[in-house]
Amino acid sequence: MSKKIVIAFEGIEGSGKTFHIDNVSKYLKRKKIPYIKLREPGGNKNSEKIRKLILDKKSIFNKKTDLLLYLAARSENMDNLKKNFRKKIILLDRFNDSTIAYQHFGMGVNLDIIKKINNHILKSFKVDFTFLNIVNINNMQKRLKQRKKLNRYDTFKEKFYKKVQNGFLRISKNKKRYKIINSNLPIELNKKIIIDKIEKLLK
Ligand code: TMP
């Protein structure tokens, strides 16, 4: 029996988190270990509608509206997440650290407000372990250039992503439940580091 833990993948654009979460999904499928995976913003019908609204290039919202929309999308995921909490492994492609890194460290929204609403939505649900994927800004730009479609949050200035990445690093500083993945290193090496860690976490 494997432990039913909640694992988040965080990081800025082009940091490889979606690639690694897909690789972990494949691993769990191969091992026939029950899991669910969802991305934020998004993850179900209503949250995906909110995702479209936030990330549409034509949308113009202020930073507080963005915060409320991200949290609204999260709120719509909570029934599903609570239903599966400790019953299946839960893989999250972004979660509350993204809100703190982007809306607080990146955009300057008040941290207490973010934490208050977030705690109200999450109640006792919590992330057990987080892979924080970091990337240098050159590699990030290279990877973004390869994308066919860019969304509203893919086109900020470099300075913004630096602030967000430093924010993620501050959130994770000296905390054991984070593993930093340096995505400037070869992908095969990082795949192994992550799967080795997953195997240990599930024991
Ligand atoms: P992604 O699906 O490519 O990661 O894009 C989602 C974007 O939304 C990304 O730029 C990060 C941003 N975001 C926030 O700003 N706050 C949040 O709470 C979440 C979940 C994502």
Side-chain angles (χ1 to χ4, degrees):
M1 279 289 276
S2 54
K3 275 193 204 147
K4 305 297 184 276
I5 56 171
V6 181
I7 306 165
F9 290 74
E10 298 275 12
I12 60 171
E13 280 64 9
S15 62
K17 64 187 169 41
T18 306
F19 173 86
H20 286 299
I21 202 170
D22 287 345
N23 190 51
V24 171
S25 302
K26 280 184 207 149
Y27 167 85
L28 295 174
K29 212 177 263 171
R30 248 193 342 263
K31 298 270 169 189
K32 298 193 168 47
I33 299 174
Y35 73 95
I36 64 160
K37 174 182 87 158
L38 64 86
R39 67 172 179 179
E40 282 213 342
N44 71 27
K45 218 167 120 198
N46 288 340
S47 309
E48 289 291 332
K49 279 188 197 163
I50 301 171
R51 177 188 175 93
K52 261 197 186 147
L53 185 65
I54 312 173
L55 297 180
D56 185 341
K57 270 185 167 169
K58 290 189 203 116
S59 292
I60 305 169
F61 295 124
N62 70 43
K63 57 190 181 184
K64 289 181 192 162
T65 308
D66 270 10
L67 168 71
L68 295 170
L69 288 172
Y70 281 115
L71 293 172
R74 181 161 309 142
S75 173
E76 285 297 312
N77 275 328
M78 288 321 294
D79 282 350
N80 184 24
L81 290 178
K82 283 179 183 158
K83 193 176 80 197
N84 286 293
F85 192 40
R86 304 287 174 241
K87 295 196 182 81
K88 285 183 184 173
I89 290 165
I90 299 178
L91 303 178
L92 298 168
D93 188 341
R94 298 194 180 282
F95 204 56
N96 46 347
D97 289 346
S98 277
T99 319
I100 295 174
Y102 282 80
Q103 275 64 53
H104 173 64
F105 286 107
M107 295 181 168
V109 182
N110 182 285
L111 183 60
D112 289 338
I113 298 287
I114 298 177
K115 285 190 174 166
K116 237 186 191 139
I117 311 176
N118 203 47
N119 289 343
H120 180 66
I121 293 170
L122 261 56
K123 300 273 188 313
S124 57
F125 181 88
K126 68 175 188 68
V127 173
D128 299 301
F129 196 82
T130 298
F131 291 100
L132 172 57
N133 297 263
I134 58 157
V135 60
N136 68 38
I137 298 298
N138 276 350
N139 282 342
M140 180 200 94
Q141 296 290 19
K142 267 191 220 156
R143 290 174 193 172
L144 280 182
K145 274 192 191 129
Q146 286 163 5
R147 289 195 185 165
K148 285 191 199 105
K149 256 174 112 183
L150 295 180
N151 66 42
R152 179 174 154 240
Y153 265 63
D154 289 331
T155 51
F156 291 123
K157 298 210 169 80
E158 279 184 10
K159 210 172 124 195
F160 174 78
Y161 299 106
K162 280 188 190 156
K163 276 202 278 184
V164 174
Q165 182 154 274
N166 285 336
F168 274 124
L169 289 167
R170 275 180 66 176
I171 296 168
S172 65
K173 200 168 176 198
N174 299 330
K175 294 199 186 101
K176 275 195 189 145
R177 69 162 197 86
Y178 288 83
K179 171 87 190 153
I180 293 178
I181 301 297
N182 179 354
S183 91
N184 307 304
L185 298 176
I187 203 156
E188 289 303 320
L189 173 71
N190 285 333
K191 270 166 83 173
K192 184 169 168 9
I193 291 172
I194 293 174
I195 296 295
D196 284 353
K197 184 71 199 174
I198 293 273
E199 285 178 343
K200 279 195 193 120
L201 288 169
L202 300 189
K203 266 185 200 149

